Amino acid sequence: MILEEQRAAVCEYARRMTTDGLVVGTSGNISVRSGDLVAVTPTGVDYATLRAQDVPVVSLDGSIVDGELKPTSELPMHLSVYGRAADPDGKPINAVVHTHSVYATAVSTLVEEVPPIHYMVASIGPSARVAKYATFGTTELADAMVAALDERRGCLLANHGTIAYGDGIEAAYHRVQQLEWVCQVWLIARTAGNPTLLPPAEIRHVVEKLRGYGQR
């Protein structure tokens, strides 16, 4: 079976999305790239029963290479992300995670950028934008997402959810988790009063610090 490791990772993280409350039912989707091929969640399949062999493999033009099931309706978004040359640091783009997480979706209806309530918004970039609304599964949504991702590693999708990418599935998943957490913090603080926000210069400073963060 081609891309066996990548297909298994798609299954693992699809189930994790459900466990972590980032999606409900069969919403949201995940893809992992290897070379010119992409393993991606199928449309309308319960993630609890998803097996590696159920995960379709497509080429970068969207043609199905292997698998019996249809890929997610959001395939245009995934392929548009892979169409980018690299992330802002020049790292390859090898995974994409799209969620329907509650707090981030709520925030996407209120603002045009995620308010810098916490420095971890810098895991996305200088800010986390909200892509303009378009119907799911359309090229219009993919185009709006691409605009919001300029110099960013993730964004919110207006009235829809989040999307983030990384050089591996762990990095992409971590970013959608951080987006959801930052949105939750802001909404909680906002209900209690007028939260103090970090200035753009501090977020830019943290973006630089994160480039050398962790074990290397």
Side-chain angles (χ1 to χ4, degrees):
M1 182 170 62
I2 64 171
L3 267 59
E4 184 172 0
E5 179 181 343
Q6 290 78 11
R7 288 162 121 169
V10 166
C11 294
E12 176 188 350
Y13 278 87
R15 283 190 280 272
R16 185 171 169 183
M17 277 201 307
T18 303
T19 301
D20 290 345
L22 298 178
V23 297
V24 175
T26 62
S27 65
N29 30 78
I30 289 175
S31 66
V32 178
R33 176 182 179 177
S34 178
D36 293 333
L37 298 179
V38 177
V40 62
T41 44
T43 186
V45 175
D46 185 352
Y47 294 147
T49 63
L50 189 64
R51 304 169 300 168
Q53 57 265 39
D54 298 325
V55 175
V57 174
V58 302
S59 62
L60 293 176
D61 66 3
S63 303
I64 297 178
V65 174
D66 193 33
E68 300 294 326
L69 301 180
K70 291 169 53 179
T72 172
S73 60
E74 298 292 13
L75 185 61
M77 280 207 301
H78 289 257
L79 296 180
S80 293
V81 174
Y82 292 123
R84 301 165 66 86
D87 85 347
D89 290 334
K91 294 180 179 179
I93 299 172
N94 294 324
V96 178
V97 179
H98 165 49
T99 80
H100 288 183
S101 53
V102 173
Y103 292 101
T105 302
V107 170
S108 79
T109 70
L110 298 171
V111 297
E112 294 182 352
E113 285 188 339
V114 177
I117 189 76
H118 192 277
Y119 64 79
M120 279 311 298
V121 73
S123 66
I124 297 301
S127 68
R129 302 187 183 106
V130 179
K132 293 181 180 180
Y133 179 80
T135 305
F136 78 93
T138 61
T139 56
E140 289 80 9
L141 176 57
D143 290 344
M145 175 208 66
V146 166
L149 284 178
D150 184 39
E151 295 299 316
R152 308 295 190 273
R153 299 174 184 83
C155 68
L156 271 57
L157 307 168
N159 303 81
H160 187 153
T162 72
I163 194 163
Y165 64 81
D167 58 352
I169 186 64
E170 300 90 348
Y173 195 83
H174 171 75
R175 287 177 182 136
V176 294
Q177 285 182 306
Q178 292 296 338
L179 270 176
E180 175 68 353
W181 182 82
V182 169
C183 289
Q184 181 180 6
V185 170
W186 181 69
L187 283 172
I188 291 172
R190 188 169 178 263
T191 62
N194 295 314
T196 301
L197 301 178
L198 297 173
E202 174 60 13
I203 299 298
R204 290 194 296 270
H205 175 60
V206 176
V207 168
E208 293 301 318
K209 289 198 65 161
L210 286 176
R211 288 196 170 107
Y213 181 78
Q215 303 296 324
R216 294 290 189 271

